[in-house]
Amino acid sequence: MKQYWQAKLATLAVGALLGVMGTAYAKSLPAYDTTKATAQAQTFEARGVHSEASLPAAYQSYATTVTTEVRDYHEGYTFTVPWRLTNGRYESQAKQDGSTERGYFFNLAESSIAEPFLVSFTKRDNIVDGNVSLTQWNSTWYNESVTNMTKDRYLALWRENRPDLKGYVLDGDLFDYKGATTARWDSFVRSDAGETGSTFFDAEFIMAQDPTQRYTLTMMYPSKYTDYMNQGIVKTVIPSFKLLKEKYRNVGDLVLNDEISFVKPKGFKVLTKGNTGAVLSKDSYRIEVGLFPMEKTVALDSTTAYPTMTARQEMADYYVEELVNNYGATIEAYKTLIDNHNTGSLIAGTLQRGEGSAIKFASYITLTDKGQAVVARVMTPDNGQTLEDLMQLVEGVRIQHKGLMTSGTIVL
């Protein structure tokens, strides 16, 4: 009996975008050299259409290092990557074995960059092969128990059962992960390619609370960035994955019009409300939410007449520029949030008003289907609040998308 989970890696990354606990000897994650990772970060080319010049000088690193957090309440999981992503989409696909695979597919770079930077995170039916129990199926690697399996044995079984990987340098192991029955990772690169080749990376989780599914991270990136990418994988991506139990509200309780609504934070009162905006308050907090006029316009996707993920990030970059240049803002947090397929940006920091004390703020910015900027912004005197707490107050913007789905694909 062969486990399925190791059989699809070679084709998934390219095709997508162009347990038993106590494994005492199997706890290693991908290795990386911190010095090399730092050096590679300085030459990281996956900037997509976001040039450093499009951001204020002090924040040009955000051209690549904007964190992207994905929360999928319908499928019940979340994960985070420490990079700016472009061209995102969500797809559901029927597979030949009768399973269904659904999940997220991204580029880290625009198509004009020759070397591929691909990221996907999917959930797939865990179909048992052979006359065995699901428990046994979930705790074996090529029909061998993972209990106390060494890294050498893990790789040896992989080589024995994957003749198509002859000529590749292989790495991988099992690792302990909270809530997982079994977790594993592997990577491979052609042995004769060196740093001019591409590395494939795969990490997969079978969770004790959801044993009928497999959660899989797949990446493809230039091998010259291996240490930099592994650092991000080990420090951010893998630790960030977890299952979600919370429910998502598609429409907020504060409705501005048939397209825009807002999930009002607990305890806030509505001071004013119109079909293009509203003002809310609670103690020293003030929230403004609605359509905000901006001088910049964004391009719509030619096939869907819908603003792309790249366009949304361009508008967020422009918003950062306005905050810094016009309001003396200090930006302390900036990330992309994909919240149940709705893409926006969270930005937080301080505003300096005259000679008075600094004002803390957090903003969420996204676009309507027509490309209009919608912003929710909270401001308050600095009383020791965390920026994370402030950002949670403005995450509740809801856009009723009409152009979200095209040909079975959800455009992010």
Side-chain angles (χ1 to χ4, degrees), residues 92-145:
S92 180
Q93 303 174 348
K95 297 299 181 179
Q96 293 182 348
D97 63 355
S99 65
T100 299
E101 178 186 78
R102 56 265 186 218
Y104 296 83
F105 302 89
F106 302 99
N107 282 306
L108 265 75
E110 63 174 339
S111 58
S112 64
I113 295 178
E115 299 163 311
F117 289 85
L118 312 177
V119 180
S120 71
F121 199 102
T122 59
K123 180 178 180 179
R124 185 167 182 167
D125 299 328
N126 182 20
I127 298 178
V128 176
D129 182 16
N131 188 26
V132 297
S133 68
L134 181 64
T135 300
Q136 180 181 347
W137 171 255
N138 284 349
S139 59
T140 58
W141 175 247
Y142 288 107
N143 202 32
E144 191 167 309
S145 172

Side-chain angles (χ1 to χ4, degrees), residues 136-164:
Q136 180 181 347
W137 171 255
N138 284 349
S139 59
T140 58
W141 175 247
Y142 288 107
N143 202 32
E144 191 167 309
S145 172
V146 300
T147 303
N148 296 331
M149 181 178 287
T150 65
K151 177 177 178 132
D152 287 345
R153 184 57 183 159
Y154 176 92
L155 291 173
L157 284 169
W158 196 24
R159 291 188 184 97
E160 291 170 11
N161 289 275
R162 289 294 302 274
D164 57 308

Side-chain angles (χ1 to χ4, degrees), residues 210-277:
D210 192 15
T212 63
Q213 302 292 318
R214 294 179 182 273
Y215 296 85
T216 306
L217 164 72
T218 300
M219 300 181 63
M220 180 180 178
Y221 49 85
S223 299
K224 63 183 178 182
Y225 294 122
T226 293
D227 285 278
Y228 176 64
M229 301 304 287
N230 281 354
Q231 184 182 55
I233 290 167
V234 172
K235 294 178 66 175
T236 302
V237 186
I238 287 179
S240 71
F241 166 68
K242 67 177 182 179
L243 301 184
L244 293 175
K245 294 183 179 179
E246 298 89 345
K247 293 184 178 180
Y248 183 79
R249 296 180 61 180
N250 289 311
V251 179
D253 46 3
L254 178 61
V255 178
L256 301 183
N257 53 53
D258 60 0
E259 189 175 20
I260 305 169
S261 63
F262 183 65
V263 180
K264 187 175 64 173
K266 185 177 180 180
F268 276 78
K269 295 181 179 180
V270 179
L271 300 182
T272 62
K273 175 182 173 298
N275 61 3
T276 60

